[in-house]
Amino acid sequence: HLTYLSYLSSIHGLSTIRKMMMSAVYSVVLSLTLSEGVKAFAPSPLVLQTAPSQRSSDATVLFSNRRDFISNAAIAVGSASGILISTPKSALADVDTDSFIKTGMVSMPMGVSGQAGKAKPVTGVVLRDGSEVSRDKSGNVLSEILLGKSSEPTPVLATFSSPWPLAKGGLFDVECRDAQTGDGAFLTVASAKGKSVADLPKTFFTDSLFSSTGRFSFYGAPTDVRVKKSDVDGPYRYLEIVFSNLSQSTNAEIPRTALVAATIPEGTDYVVMLVGSSTSNRWKRGAEKSVRETVGSFKATLAPTSGLKARAKERV
């Protein structure tokens, strides 16, 4: 083979030989790509490739799909002709397509691939421009939110104490959660429609929290929703709710228990709620204490007045 290439090189020149080799590579890639389109849904057969420069049994290499074959063939032929062909890393990213086709899900739903295409849950929370959600070393969380009309909003300070860290990312407004256990608490807001917090029916809370765009409906609306307790303590309303929601990692309905603390800040017509929850299994094993302490620490009061105009922070 090398003698033949040297002969061709002496007649046509090295640049012509390289063009001929590249043309061969393109032909192979094109033909395999077209055939792949026809057999897109067929199982990928094993493609047997034998290195021409080796004759021992070690020269036989198995590739599980055409993508690997094309990549290795292009690199091998390109190297032989003195041309370096690089394959973009993004084109060779590991994606569990078999799992996705079978279940409609990815292996890590809370990762980048799992979040892609998902709409942000609607919590009704509007953060004030110039403010940041913070949590100090003691676990005290502070956020300044806006209630009412955008032309003349009312600034409100929402505070609570959490053992879990702040949840970061565009999917979260004001939320603390344990990424390992799923325990956590988040803030949500809904219009009171002229009623006091004590007069609001239980369905107001279940409809607000478990709507198709709510925080618990990220992978489907919860089922088996039931309000176990509902109490009023001054300006605050407390509810204990059990429900089941879909676990994307196991594709099963997982029972959860939630506590809700709700209040209507003075001079507004909006219910500000802190919702803490854990799986019912963890609830029975001690998570209840952390959730109760977190929800019990919740306060929502009017922010101190200032000369600055209150504006809504732009959403990411």
Side-chain angles (χ1 to χ4, degrees), residues 68-90:
D68 293 340
F69 172 70
I70 293 172
S71 175
N72 284 276
I75 293 173
V77 176
S79 299
S81 59
I83 302 171
L84 178 61
I85 300 175
S86 62
T87 305
K89 292 183 179 180
S90 59

Side-chain angles (χ1 to χ4, degrees), residues 213-230:
T213 57
R215 181 66 185 87
F216 289 119
S217 303
F218 198 60
Y219 291 110
T223 59
D224 304 324
V225 179
R226 181 168 60 92
V227 178
K228 292 183 65 177
K229 296 179 182 179
S230 178

Side-chain angles (χ1 to χ4, degrees), residues 25-84:
V25 172
Y26 294 150
S27 298
V28 171
V29 173
L30 179 60
S31 62
L32 288 174
T33 301
L34 292 175
S35 64
E36 185 68 15
V38 177
K39 301 179 180 179
F41 298 97
S44 299
L46 292 177
V47 179
L48 182 64
Q49 175 181 300
T50 304
S53 61
Q54 299 179 7
R55 296 303 178 210
S56 66
S57 58
D58 294 336
T60 301
V61 182
L62 289 177
F63 296 100
S64 60
N65 53 56
R66 291 184 178 87
R67 182 186 65 188
D68 293 340
F69 172 70
I70 293 172
S71 175
N72 284 276
I75 293 173
V77 176
S79 299
S81 59
I83 302 171
L84 178 61

Side-chain angles (χ1 to χ4, degrees), residues 193-264:
K193 299 180 180 179
K195 294 186 177 182
S196 68
V197 71
D199 293 333
L200 289 169
K202 296 177 182 178
T203 53
F204 167 86
F205 297 96
T206 54
D207 290 347
S208 298
L209 297 177
F210 305 118
S211 68
S212 59
T213 57
R215 181 66 185 87
F216 289 119
S217 303
F218 198 60
Y219 291 110
T223 59
D224 304 324
V225 179
R226 181 168 60 92
V227 178
K228 292 183 65 177
K229 296 179 182 179
S230 178
D231 300 306
V232 177
D233 184 5
Y236 289 85
R237 175 94 171 261
Y238 298 95
L239 301 95
E240 182 176 336
I241 306 174
V242 293
F243 61 97
S244 296
N245 67 343
L246 181 65
S247 169
Q248 190 72 346
S249 59
T250 62
N251 198 26
E253 294 285 343
I254 305 298
R256 292 187 72 87
T257 301
L259 286 181
V260 181
T263 189
I264 301 176

Side-chain angles (χ1 to χ4, degrees), residues 6 19 27 79 84 88 106 108 130 138-139 163 189 194 204 207 285 312 316:
S6 300
K19 291 179 180 180
S27 298
S79 299
L84 178 61
V106 293
M108 296 188 66
S138 299
V189 175
F204 167 86
D207 290 347
R285 295 184 178 183
V316 179

